[in-house]
Structures are given as C-alpha cells and as structure tokens.
Amino acid sequence: MLTLTMPMPSETTCHATPSDDGDDAVLAMRAANADVAAFEQLYRRHHRRVHGVIVRLVGQASARAEDLTQETFVRAWQALPGFRHESAVSTWLHRLAVNTALMELRSRRSRPLQDEDEDTFDQLSTPDTAGNAVLGRDLERAVATLPPRARAVLVLHDVEGWKHAEIATELGMAVGSSKAQLHRARSLLRMRIGEVA
C-alpha cells in the first residue's frame, strides 16, 4: 500500500549525503528508494516519540492520536524522496508530527466541541485505579484536560521549546494571545494538580 502513495525517487535522492549520524540516515535513504522494510524500521524506532508529541498536543483521545500518528508516517513515506538530510531524521519526523497535530487543532477550531473533547474533561477527577496517583500521570492527565489551544501553547512552549512568535504563527494568533494562553494553561494546571493531590 505504501508503494502506491510514494513518489518515485529522483537521482538526487539516491545520492544524497546525510548530515545526521547513525542508522536512521541510511534507513531514510533506503526508504526514499521505496524500501518498505527500511521504512518499517524507522517506524518502529520513532513511533513512540511521534505518538507522544501528538498525544500531548491533541489530548489523550487514543484512537484519534493513533490515527494522527499513522497520518504522520504516511506523510513521511510520501515526503522521504524529497528529504534533503539537512537535519536528523528524528528531528524531521518530530516536526512532521507537530505539524500534523497542529493541523488537527486548526480543524477542531472550525468544528463544534466533539464528544471525545467532553469525555476528556470528565476524566479530570478520575482517581488512579490503584488509588496511588503518580505525579507524572496526574500531570499528563491534567494537561490532556486543558482547552485545546491552551494545551497546544503549553506543549509547544514548555515541552517543545518554541518561542511565542513561532507558536503565534503556527496557531494563527497574536503573540500576546499565545502568552495569555500559556498563562491560562499554567493556571489551570496548578488548579487541577491541586484538586488531584
């Protein structure tokens, strides 16, 4: 199926010189030449990290996050012949995952609140099944309950290290709005973590 969606490799792709070290560059070059096994290895190596950033950005609706992870890798497969190896493959995949999640967030803005978004808010007070909530899990759960734009700004700024100008451009908002959303997200997190503790 992937070979049907992948463009034919160009001569420049076949002879590219990678700038990142390790097997990822070699695997990417092989995958760019329609080597499905090489692409499967890249997928296995990077699936968790790609899925993790998508979950943090769009929330913990696992089915949707998994769909977006798959979409990211389909886009990667299609774009590999044009990948110039100017950055590490892992960096390129990570950026592709962030862009895929941001497109999802933009499309949500134009839709009414979905049932899965409402379910996320209901999970806020759900105790850990063992009764011993781990702070990391509580934090992830609390981040997942944030409003989508506040969550996106928080993750992009505090986790991914983006500047407010970059966030504002990607999310289509003013820099001041990005700062306000970050303040809002942090305040909501403090409240929600306090409720769980």
Side-chain angles (χ1 to χ4, degrees), residues 50-124:
V50 165
H51 185 263
V53 73
I54 288 172
V55 165
R56 284 190 299 275
L57 282 166
V58 301
Q60 293 193 354
S62 60
R64 187 62 189 140
E66 189 58 41
D67 288 346
L68 292 171
T69 301
Q70 297 304 318
E71 186 176 326
T72 298
F73 280 99
V74 168
R75 287 181 180 174
W77 174 257
Q78 293 169 337
L80 267 171
F83 179 53
R84 294 176 292 193
H85 298 274
E86 293 173 351
S87 64
V89 173
S90 60
T91 302
W92 178 72
L93 284 171
H94 186 265
R95 181 64 185 192
L96 198 56
V98 168
N99 288 339
T100 301
L102 290 176
M103 286 188 328
E104 168 70 8
L105 291 174
R106 283 186 210 107
S107 73
R108 278 188 189 179
R109 254 193 345 214
S110 62
R111 296 189 320 237
L113 188 65
Q114 302 293 313
D115 289 340
E116 67 188 37
D117 295 332
E118 291 174 359
D119 292 342
T120 301
F121 289 105
D122 293 340
Q123 294 174 8
L124 174 63

Side-chain angles (χ1 to χ4, degrees), residues 11-51:
E11 288 298 314
T12 57
T13 303
C14 298
H15 304 292
T17 304
S19 67
D20 59 328
D21 296 329
D23 296 332
D24 280 353
V26 174
L27 289 172
M29 290 171 73
R30 287 178 37 211
N33 287 303
D35 183 339
V36 175
F39 187 76
E40 287 174 0
Q41 285 184 307
L42 283 174
Y43 175 85
R44 277 189 230 107
R45 287 181 179 190
H46 299 283
H47 173 267
R48 285 188 178 159
R49 183 168 186 239
V50 165
H51 185 263

Side-chain angles (χ1 to χ4, degrees), residues 125-165:
S125 60
T126 305
D128 187 290
T129 54
N132 298 329
V134 176
L135 180 59
R137 202 173 327 160
D138 289 343
L139 182 59
E140 286 288 331
R141 200 174 285 142
V143 168
T145 66
L146 293 173
R149 288 176 67 82
R151 179 177 57 239
V153 171
L154 177 84
V155 170
L156 290 174
H157 187 272
D158 289 356
V159 178
E160 300 299 321
W162 288 27
K163 305 270 186 252
H164 282 291

